[in-house]
Amino acid sequence: MAWSKNFDWSVFYSIPKGLRYCYLEKLDLEVEPPTKDYLDKLVKAHLCKIPFENLAITLWNESVNIEPQRLMDKLLYKKRGGYCFELNGLFHLLLRTLGFDAWMCPCRQLRHLEPFPVPATHCAIIVNLDGKRLFCDVGYGGPIPHGSIEWETERIQTVDNQAFYFTEQQSGWFSLVKKGEKDMPLLQAARLNCHLSDFYGPNLLRSTGNSAYSELHVSRLTSDGYMDLTGNKFVIKQGSIHQERIVDEKELDSVLLDYFSIER
């Protein structure tokens, strides 16, 4: 008996033809052996080259399909970015084509105003490498490690001069915290090796109905800072320079294209 009605789940387990070549061309990288240094290079390039954005939901009223071929079309062929299920979904497939033992894992955001835990509608990536479990995330859209870190509790790890650590929760989840003058909890993650298809439901939850993204958000890392558009507030951080301004509707398209290389 079929598990679902008229749906072919096999599409989630097929890596699109040409994915590795097109992806590495987008990231301006070459094939290398699957090492932690190479993984870190891939993560950093992804954060710089492919923006986090939720415009399909908050601006353009588009459906969000996380089937691999649809993700490849959007992220690699079109001038678009995506959010966690799209970005981490396709990136973990790239890692597999490069010889990494890569899986997706469920996460929940901690940077929100709700007084209770929100559903686990985020995801990240687990990479099992040289006997270690590594964590990385190219779909957070905020202050996340710019490379991979080992999934070890209470150990401070530094990436690009930013420090992070995991703490274990009684519920079996692990909190990722950015260390600073005031420590910033970023997300909770579970050590589960998941497939892209496992996030079909969470993607619907985050892209439709009352649980969908409500505020426009576009973000991209740069070589010495970041660019972030949240609502109509546009922030550019370059080294010690911090600029903020309000973007009106008339200039939104040009800001998206000029700063994030996004075009509908």
Side-chain angles (χ1 to χ4, degrees):
M1 182 179 67
W3 183 83
S4 58
K5 180 172 62 177
N6 300 324
F7 193 91
D8 181 9
W9 292 96
S10 68
V11 297
F12 287 98
Y13 301 89
S14 299
I15 295 179
K17 183 179 180 180
L19 176 70
R20 185 172 71 174
Y21 172 81
C22 292
Y23 222 135
L24 293 181
E25 184 178 46
K26 181 89 171 183
L27 300 182
D28 196 24
L29 294 174
E30 302 291 335
V31 176
E32 296 182 23
T35 64
K36 185 180 186 306
D37 286 343
Y38 185 40
L39 175 60
D40 292 345
K41 190 185 300 184
L42 289 162
V43 171
K44 181 70 174 287
H46 199 293
L47 292 171
C48 291
K49 298 282 188 178
I50 304 179
F52 174 97
E53 53 106 331
N54 59 13
L55 301 173
I57 302 160
T58 59
L59 186 64
W60 291 325
N61 194 30
E62 300 170 342
S63 62
V64 178
N65 189 315
I66 61 170
E67 295 173 12
Q69 185 62 59
R70 296 287 290 272
L71 293 179
M72 182 175 176
D73 292 343
K74 181 180 180 181
L75 302 182
L76 304 185
Y77 293 145
K78 298 178 182 178
K79 291 185 175 181
R80 292 295 298 275
Y83 59 89
C84 59
F85 303 122
E86 300 173 282
L87 300 175
N88 284 320
L90 197 64
F91 186 59
H92 103 284
L93 293 179
L94 168 67
L95 295 179
R96 288 188 172 194
T97 70
L98 293 169
F100 289 98
D101 181 17
W103 299 83
M104 298 177 70
C105 67
C107 304
R108 65 164 48 89
Q109 287 274 7
L110 295 179
R111 295 173 65 228
H112 57 77
L113 298 177
E114 284 80 356
F116 301 101
V118 297
T121 53
H122 182 60
C123 66
I125 297 173
I126 294 173
V127 177
N128 300 302
L129 182 67
D130 297 332
K132 297 179 180 179
R133 181 187 285 110
L134 304 178
F135 172 96
C136 61
D137 187 348
V138 297
Y140 187 80
I144 205 73
H146 301 164
S148 64
I149 61 175
E150 294 184 29
W151 201 323
E152 295 184 2
T153 57
E154 308 302 340
R155 175 190 166 193
I156 297 175
Q157 302 177 63
T158 302
V159 182
D160 278 359
N161 298 315
Q162 298 183 77
F164 302 87
Y165 63 91
F166 281 105
T167 60
E168 186 170 3
Q169 308 300 309
Q170 290 183 347
S171 59
W173 292 76
F174 295 80
S175 292
L176 176 63
V177 182
K178 182 180 180 183
K179 189 170 180 58
E181 292 184 6
K182 182 178 180 181
D183 288 3
M184 179 191 302
L186 302 176
L187 57 80
Q188 287 183 337
R191 287 176 173 173
L192 297 174
N193 290 350
C194 295
H195 299 284
L196 177 58
S197 61
D198 293 319
F199 297 94
Y200 178 87
N203 177 60
L204 290 178
L205 191 65
R206 208 66 183 101
S207 62
T208 60
N210 293 333
S211 57
Y213 283 102
S214 60
E215 186 173 45
L216 181 152
H217 186 198
V218 188
S219 181
R220 180 173 70 82
L221 194 68
T222 64
S223 60
D224 59 351
Y226 64 88
M227 301 177 183
D228 185 279
L229 177 64
T230 301
N232 63 357
K233 181 181 177 181
F234 185 34
V235 176
I236 299 178
K237 177 76 164 59
Q238 293 180 301
S240 60
I241 300 174
H242 184 95
Q243 300 174 311
E244 293 185 13
R245 67 182 179 91
I246 300 300
V247 174
D248 62 37
E249 291 185 12
K250 293 181 180 179
E251 62 176 331
L252 178 58
D253 288 346
S254 62
V255 167
L256 292 174
L257 181 59
D258 296 342
Y259 292 95
F260 300 98
S261 299
I262 292 175
E263 186 175 42
R264 188 176 185 183

PDB file of all heavy atoms in Angstrom, residues 225-251:
ATOM      1  N   GLY A 225      32.330  41.526   6.445  1.00  0.00           N
ATOM      2  CA  GLY A 225      31.130  41.920   7.169  1.00  0.00           C
ATOM      3  C   GLY A 225      29.897  41.213   6.645  1.00  0.00           C
ATOM      4  O   GLY A 225      29.944  40.020   6.314  1.00  0.00           O
ATOM      5  N   TYR A 226      28.810  41.953   6.534  1.00  0.00           N
ATOM      6  CA  TYR A 226      27.575  41.354   6.045  1.00  0.00           C
ATOM      7  C   TYR A 226      26.630  42.447   5.541  1.00  0.00           C
ATOM      8  O   TYR A 226      26.816  43.639   5.812  1.00  0.00           O
ATOM      9  CB  TYR A 226      26.874  40.552   7.149  1.00  0.00           C
ATOM     10  CG  TYR A 226      26.401  41.385   8.328  1.00  0.00           C
ATOM     11  CD1 TYR A 226      25.132  41.983   8.328  1.00  0.00           C
ATOM     12  CD2 TYR A 226      27.204  41.577   9.437  1.00  0.00           C
ATOM     13  CE1 TYR A 226      24.693  42.753   9.397  1.00  0.00           C
ATOM     14  CE2 TYR A 226      26.782  42.343  10.508  1.00  0.00           C
ATOM     15  CZ  TYR A 226      25.529  42.931  10.483  1.00  0.00           C
ATOM     16  OH  TYR A 226      25.101  43.695  11.535  1.00  0.00           O
ATOM     17  N   MET A 227      25.600  42.015   4.804  1.00  0.00           N
ATOM     18  CA  MET A 227      24.507  42.879   4.379  1.00  0.00           C
ATOM     19  C   MET A 227      23.213  42.229   4.815  1.00  0.00           C
ATOM     20  O   MET A 227      23.045  41.018   4.659  1.00  0.00           O
ATOM     21  CB  MET A 227      24.517  43.070   2.863  1.00  0.00           C
ATOM     22  CG  MET A 227      25.787  43.680   2.311  1.00  0.00           C
ATOM     23  SD  MET A 227      25.734  43.792   0.507  1.00  0.00           S
ATOM     24  CE  MET A 227      27.376  44.436   0.167  1.00  0.00           C
ATOM     25  N   ASP A 228      22.297  43.015   5.345  1.00  0.00           N
ATOM     26  CA  ASP A 228      21.046  42.458   5.859  1.00  0.00           C
ATOM     27  C   ASP A 228      19.902  43.432   5.608  1.00  0.00           C
ATOM     28  O   ASP A 228      20.000  44.616   5.945  1.00  0.00           O
ATOM     29  CB  ASP A 228      21.161  42.169   7.356  1.00  0.00           C
ATOM     30  CG  ASP A 228      19.928  41.484   7.918  1.00  0.00           C
ATOM     31  OD1 ASP A 228      18.933  42.181   8.207  1.00  0.00           O
ATOM     32  OD2 ASP A 228      19.956  40.249   8.055  1.00  0.00           O
ATOM     33  N   LEU A 229      18.855  42.914   4.998  1.00  0.00           N
ATOM     34  CA  LEU A 229      17.628  43.677   4.786  1.00  0.00           C
ATOM     35  C   LEU A 229      16.517  42.970   5.531  1.00  0.00           C
ATOM     36  O   LEU A 229      16.108  41.871   5.171  1.00  0.00           O
ATOM     37  CB  LEU A 229      17.300  43.779   3.298  1.00  0.00           C
ATOM     38  CG  LEU A 229      15.997  44.494   2.928  1.00  0.00           C
ATOM     39  CD1 LEU A 229      16.034  45.959   3.339  1.00  0.00           C
ATOM     40  CD2 LEU A 229      15.739  44.379   1.424  1.00  0.00           C
ATOM     41  N   THR A 230      16.033  43.574   6.608  1.00  0.00           N
ATOM     42  CA  THR A 230      14.934  43.025   7.400  1.00  0.00           C
ATOM     43  C   THR A 230      13.799  44.026   7.390  1.00  0.00           C
ATOM     44  O   THR A 230      13.957  45.146   7.880  1.00  0.00           O
ATOM     45  CB  THR A 230      15.375  42.742   8.851  1.00  0.00           C
ATOM     46  OG1 THR A 230      16.461  41.806   8.837  1.00  0.00           O
ATOM     47  CG2 THR A 230      14.223  42.152   9.642  1.00  0.00           C
ATOM     48  N   GLY A 231      12.668  43.626   6.813  1.00  0.00           N
ATOM     49  CA  GLY A 231      11.600  44.595   6.598  1.00  0.00           C
ATOM     50  C   GLY A 231      12.096  45.636   5.610  1.00  0.00           C
ATOM     51  O   GLY A 231      12.524  45.305   4.505  1.00  0.00           O
ATOM     52  N   ASN A 232      12.084  46.895   6.004  1.00  0.00           N
ATOM     53  CA  ASN A 232      12.631  47.948   5.144  1.00  0.00           C
ATOM     54  C   ASN A 232      13.937  48.528   5.688  1.00  0.00           C
ATOM     55  O   ASN A 232      14.429  49.545   5.195  1.00  0.00           O
ATOM     56  CB  ASN A 232      11.608  49.072   4.935  1.00  0.00           C
ATOM     57  CG  ASN A 232      11.245  49.778   6.238  1.00  0.00           C
ATOM     58  OD1 ASN A 232      11.703  49.400   7.318  1.00  0.00           O
ATOM     59  ND2 ASN A 232      10.413  50.802   6.144  1.00  0.00           N
ATOM     60  N   LYS A 233      14.508  47.884   6.699  1.00  0.00           N
ATOM     61  CA  LYS A 233      15.756  48.348   7.293  1.00  0.00           C
ATOM     62  C   LYS A 233      16.938  47.622   6.657  1.00  0.00           C
ATOM     63  O   LYS A 233      17.072  46.405   6.753  1.00  0.00           O
ATOM     64  CB  LYS A 233      15.739  48.101   8.805  1.00  0.00           C
ATOM     65  CG  LYS A 233      16.990  48.586   9.518  1.00  0.00           C
ATOM     66  CD  LYS A 233      16.909  48.277  11.016  1.00  0.00           C
ATOM     67  CE  LYS A 233      18.169  48.689  11.751  1.00  0.00           C
ATOM     68  NZ  LYS A 233      18.094  48.363  13.200  1.00  0.00           N
ATOM     69  N   PHE A 234      17.811  48.393   6.013  1.00  0.00           N
ATOM     70  CA  PHE A 234      18.964  47.847   5.297  1.00  0.00           C
ATOM     71  C   PHE A 234      20.237  48.193   6.060  1.00  0.00           C
ATOM     72  O   PHE A 234      20.526  49.358   6.316  1.00  0.00           O
ATOM     73  CB  PHE A 234      19.009  48.421   3.882  1.00  0.00           C
ATOM     74  CG  PHE A 234      20.090  47.854   3.005  1.00  0.00           C
ATOM     75  CD1 PHE A 234      20.482  46.535   3.126  1.00  0.00           C
ATOM     76  CD2 PHE A 234      20.695  48.650   2.046  1.00  0.00           C
ATOM     77  CE1 PHE A 234      21.476  46.005   2.310  1.00  0.00           C
ATOM     78  CE2 PHE A 234      21.685  48.139   1.226  1.00  0.00           C
ATOM     79  CZ  PHE A 234      22.081  46.813   1.354  1.00  0.00           C
ATOM     80  N   VAL A 235      20.996  47.152   6.424  1.00  0.00           N
ATOM     81  CA  VAL A 235      22.226  47.317   7.189  1.00  0.00           C
ATOM     82  C   VAL A 235      23.402  46.783   6.387  1.00  0.00           C
ATOM     83  O   VAL A 235      23.345  45.675   5.839  1.00  0.00           O
ATOM     84  CB  VAL A 235      22.146  46.582   8.541  1.00  0.00           C
ATOM     85  CG1 VAL A 235      23.489  46.678   9.282  1.00  0.00           C
ATOM     86  CG2 VAL A 235      21.029  47.138   9.390  1.00  0.00           C
ATOM     87  N   ILE A 236      24.456  47.569   6.304  1.00  0.00           N
ATOM     88  CA  ILE A 236      25.711  47.131   5.706  1.00  0.00           C
ATOM     89  C   ILE A 236      26.800  47.266   6.760  1.00  0.00           C
ATOM     90  O   ILE A 236      27.023  48.346   7.299  1.00  0.00           O
ATOM     91  CB  ILE A 236      26.082  47.963   4.469  1.00  0.00           C
ATOM     92  CG1 ILE A 236      25.016  47.842   3.381  1.00  0.00           C
ATOM     93  CG2 ILE A 236      27.446  47.506   3.923  1.00  0.00           C
ATOM     94  CD1 ILE A 236      25.302  48.679   2.149  1.00  0.00           C
ATOM     95  N   LYS A 237      27.481  46.160   7.042  1.00  0.00           N
ATOM     96  CA  LYS A 237      28.586  46.155   8.004  1.00  0.00           C
ATOM     97  C   LYS A 237      29.845  45.751   7.261  1.00  0.00           C
ATOM     98  O   LYS A 237      29.942  44.648   6.720  1.00  0.00           O
ATOM     99  CB  LYS A 237      28.289  45.158   9.131  1.00  0.00           C
ATOM    100  CG  LYS A 237      29.420  45.024  10.153  1.00  0.00           C
ATOM    101  CD  LYS A 237      29.471  46.206  11.083  1.00  0.00           C
ATOM    102  CE  LYS A 237      30.325  45.903  12.324  1.00  0.00           C
ATOM    103  NZ  LYS A 237      31.716  45.527  12.027  1.00  0.00           N
ATOM    104  N   GLN A 238      30.820  46.656   7.187  1.00  0.00           N
ATOM    105  CA  GLN A 238      32.096  46.379   6.532  1.00  0.00           C
ATOM    106  C   GLN A 238      33.214  46.784   7.475  1.00  0.00           C
ATOM    107  O   GLN A 238      33.457  47.977   7.676  1.00  0.00           O
ATOM    108  CB  GLN A 238      32.213  47.150   5.215  1.00  0.00           C
ATOM    109  CG  GLN A 238      31.237  46.681   4.140  1.00  0.00           C
ATOM    110  CD  GLN A 238      31.385  47.466   2.854  1.00  0.00           C
ATOM    111  OE1 GLN A 238      31.235  48.671   2.840  1.00  0.00           O
ATOM    112  NE2 GLN A 238      31.687  46.765   1.766  1.00  0.00           N
ATOM    113  N   GLY A 239      33.880  45.806   8.051  1.00  0.00           N
ATOM    114  CA  GLY A 239      34.917  46.115   9.020  1.00  0.00           C
ATOM    115  C   GLY A 239      34.346  46.894  10.187  1.00  0.00           C
ATOM    116  O   GLY A 239      33.391  46.480  10.833  1.00  0.00           O
ATOM    117  N   SER A 240      34.910  48.061  10.431  1.00  0.00           N
ATOM    118  CA  SER A 240      34.445  48.914  11.533  1.00  0.00           C
ATOM    119  C   SER A 240      33.327  49.866  11.105  1.00  0.00           C
ATOM    120  O   SER A 240      32.788  50.599  11.932  1.00  0.00           O
ATOM    121  CB  SER A 240      35.617  49.732  12.092  1.00  0.00           C
ATOM    122  OG  SER A 240      36.166  50.564  11.080  1.00  0.00           O
ATOM    123  N   ILE A 241      32.970  49.832   9.818  1.00  0.00           N
ATOM    124  CA  ILE A 241      31.941  50.740   9.300  1.00  0.00           C
ATOM    125  C   ILE A 241      30.568  50.077   9.382  1.00  0.00           C
ATOM    126  O   ILE A 241      30.380  48.948   8.921  1.00  0.00           O
ATOM    127  CB  ILE A 241      32.242  51.139   7.845  1.00  0.00           C
ATOM    128  CG1 ILE A 241      33.593  51.855   7.769  1.00  0.00           C
ATOM    129  CG2 ILE A 241      31.131  52.031   7.298  1.00  0.00           C
ATOM    130  CD1 ILE A 241      34.036  52.158   6.358  1.00  0.00           C
ATOM    131  N   HIS A 242      29.613  50.770   9.975  1.00  0.00           N
ATOM    132  CA  HIS A 242      28.242  50.269  10.121  1.00  0.00           C
ATOM    133  C   HIS A 242      27.290  51.314   9.551  1.00  0.00           C
ATOM    134  O   HIS A 242      27.251  52.448  10.016  1.00  0.00           O
ATOM    135  CB  HIS A 242      27.930  50.012  11.597  1.00  0.00           C
ATOM    136  CG  HIS A 242      26.581  49.409  11.835  1.00  0.00           C
ATOM    137  ND1 HIS A 242      26.374  48.051  11.969  1.00  0.00           N
ATOM    138  CD2 HIS A 242      25.361  49.986  11.956  1.00  0.00           C
ATOM    139  CE1 HIS A 242      25.092  47.817  12.172  1.00  0.00           C
ATOM    140  NE2 HIS A 242      24.456  48.972  12.175  1.00  0.00           N
ATOM    141  N   GLN A 243      26.524  50.923   8.521  1.00  0.00           N
ATOM    142  CA  GLN A 243      25.584  51.835   7.880  1.00  0.00           C
ATOM    143  C   GLN A 243      24.171  51.266   7.945  1.00  0.00           C
ATOM    144  O   GLN A 243      23.977  50.069   7.769  1.00  0.00           O
ATOM    145  CB  GLN A 243      25.966  52.075   6.419  1.00  0.00           C
ATOM    146  CG  GLN A 243      27.344  52.687   6.216  1.00  0.00           C
ATOM    147  CD  GLN A 243      27.718  52.768   4.747  1.00  0.00           C
ATOM    148  OE1 GLN A 243      27.595  51.799   4.010  1.00  0.00           O
ATOM    149  NE2 GLN A 243      28.172  53.936   4.318  1.00  0.00           N
ATOM    150  N   GLU A 244      23.205  52.133   8.176  1.00  0.00           N
ATOM    151  CA  GLU A 244      21.798  51.740   8.188  1.00  0.00           C
ATOM    152  C   GLU A 244      20.983  52.761   7.414  1.00  0.00           C
ATOM    153  O   GLU A 244      21.261  53.963   7.476  1.00  0.00           O
ATOM    154  CB  GLU A 244      21.252  51.667   9.620  1.00  0.00           C
ATOM    155  CG  GLU A 244      21.835  50.580  10.473  1.00  0.00           C
ATOM    156  CD  GLU A 244      21.158  50.496  11.835  1.00  0.00           C
ATOM    157  OE1 GLU A 244      20.083  51.130  11.995  1.00  0.00           O
ATOM    158  OE2 GLU A 244      21.694  49.822  12.732  1.00  0.00           O
ATOM    159  N   ARG A 245      19.980  52.268   6.694  1.00  0.00           N
ATOM    160  CA  ARG A 245      19.039  53.178   6.040  1.00  0.00           C
ATOM    161  C   ARG A 245      17.730  52.442   5.766  1.00  0.00           C
ATOM    162  O   ARG A 245      17.660  51.215   5.823  1.00  0.00           O
ATOM    163  CB  ARG A 245      19.608  53.756   4.754  1.00  0.00           C
ATOM    164  CG  ARG A 245      19.826  52.771   3.602  1.00  0.00           C
ATOM    165  CD  ARG A 245      20.453  53.516   2.434  1.00  0.00           C
ATOM    166  NE  ARG A 245      20.733  52.673   1.291  1.00  0.00           N
ATOM    167  CZ  ARG A 245      19.877  52.457   0.289  1.00  0.00           C
ATOM    168  NH1 ARG A 245      18.655  53.011   0.323  1.00  0.00           N
ATOM    169  NH2 ARG A 245      20.196  51.683  -0.732  1.00  0.00           N
ATOM    170  N   ILE A 246      16.718  53.202   5.464  1.00  0.00           N
ATOM    171  CA  ILE A 246      15.403  52.654   5.147  1.00  0.00           C
ATOM    172  C   ILE A 246      15.258  52.550   3.628  1.00  0.00           C
ATOM    173  O   ILE A 246      15.575  53.496   2.895  1.00  0.00           O
ATOM    174  CB  ILE A 246      14.277  53.541   5.727  1.00  0.00           C
ATOM    175  CG1 ILE A 246      14.410  53.614   7.256  1.00  0.00           C
ATOM    176  CG2 ILE A 246      12.912  52.981   5.335  1.00  0.00           C
ATOM    177  CD1 ILE A 246      14.326  52.282   7.962  1.00  0.00           C
ATOM    178  N   VAL A 247      14.797  51.401   3.164  1.00  0.00           N
ATOM    179  CA  VAL A 247      14.588  51.157   1.735  1.00  0.00           C
ATOM    180  C   VAL A 247      13.102  51.274   1.433  1.00  0.00           C
ATOM    181  O   VAL A 247      12.279  50.602   2.056  1.00  0.00           O
ATOM    182  CB  VAL A 247      15.097  49.755   1.339  1.00  0.00           C
ATOM    183  CG1 VAL A 247      14.749  49.447  -0.106  1.00  0.00           C
ATOM    184  CG2 VAL A 247      16.599  49.649   1.572  1.00  0.00           C
ATOM    185  N   ASP A 248      12.738  52.148   0.488  1.00  0.00           N
ATOM    186  CA  ASP A 248      11.330  52.268   0.131  1.00  0.00           C
ATOM    187  C   ASP A 248      10.988  51.313  -1.013  1.00  0.00           C
ATOM    188  O   ASP A 248      11.870  50.697  -1.621  1.00  0.00           O
ATOM    189  CB  ASP A 248      10.966  53.712  -0.223  1.00  0.00           C
ATOM    190  CG  ASP A 248      11.732  54.253  -1.427  1.00  0.00           C
ATOM    191  OD1 ASP A 248      11.978  53.487  -2.375  1.00  0.00           O
ATOM    192  OD2 ASP A 248      12.077  55.461  -1.426  1.00  0.00           O
ATOM    193  N   GLU A 249       9.712  51.178  -1.309  1.00  0.00           N
ATOM    194  CA  GLU A 249       9.258  50.199  -2.302  1.00  0.00           C
ATOM    195  C   GLU A 249       9.851  50.461  -3.680  1.00  0.00           C
ATOM    196  O   GLU A 249      10.125  49.518  -4.430  1.00  0.00           O
ATOM    197  CB  GLU A 249       7.728  50.216  -2.380  1.00  0.00           C
ATOM    198  CG  GLU A 249       7.042  49.665  -1.131  1.00  0.00           C
ATOM    199  CD  GLU A 249       5.536  49.587  -1.290  1.00  0.00           C
ATOM    200  OE1 GLU A 249       5.056  49.748  -2.440  1.00  0.00           O
ATOM    201  OE2 GLU A 249       4.837  49.368  -0.291  1.00  0.00           O
ATOM    202  N   LYS A 250      10.061  51.711  -4.020  1.00  0.00           N
ATOM    203  CA  LYS A 250      10.542  52.051  -5.361  1.00  0.00           C
ATOM    204  C   LYS A 250      11.964  51.553  -5.605  1.00  0.00           C
ATOM    205  O   LYS A 250      12.317  51.252  -6.744  1.00  0.00           O
ATOM    206  CB  LYS A 250      10.480  53.564  -5.561  1.00  0.00           C
ATOM    207  CG  LYS A 250       9.066  54.132  -5.593  1.00  0.00           C
ATOM    208  CD  LYS A 250       9.084  55.631  -5.820  1.00  0.00           C
ATOM    209  CE  LYS A 250       7.670  56.203  -5.842  1.00  0.00           C
ATOM    210  NZ  LYS A 250       7.666  57.672  -6.039  1.00  0.00           N
ATOM    211  N   GLU A 251      12.777  51.480  -4.563  1.00  0.00           N
ATOM    212  CA  GLU A 251      14.168  51.076  -4.756  1.00  0.00           C
ATOM    213  C   GLU A 251      14.438  49.636  -4.327  1.00  0.00           C
ATOM    214  O   GLU A 251      15.572  49.171  -4.409  1.00  0.00           O
ATOM    215  CB  GLU A 251      15.099  52.020  -3.996  1.00  0.00           C
ATOM    216  CG  GLU A 251      14.892  52.037  -2.492  1.00  0.00           C
ATOM    217  CD  GLU A 251      15.912  52.908  -1.769  1.00  0.00           C
ATOM    218  OE1 GLU A 251      17.052  53.052  -2.263  1.00  0.00           O
ATOM    219  OE2 GLU A 251      15.550  53.448  -0.705  1.00  0.00           O
TER     220      GLU A 251
END
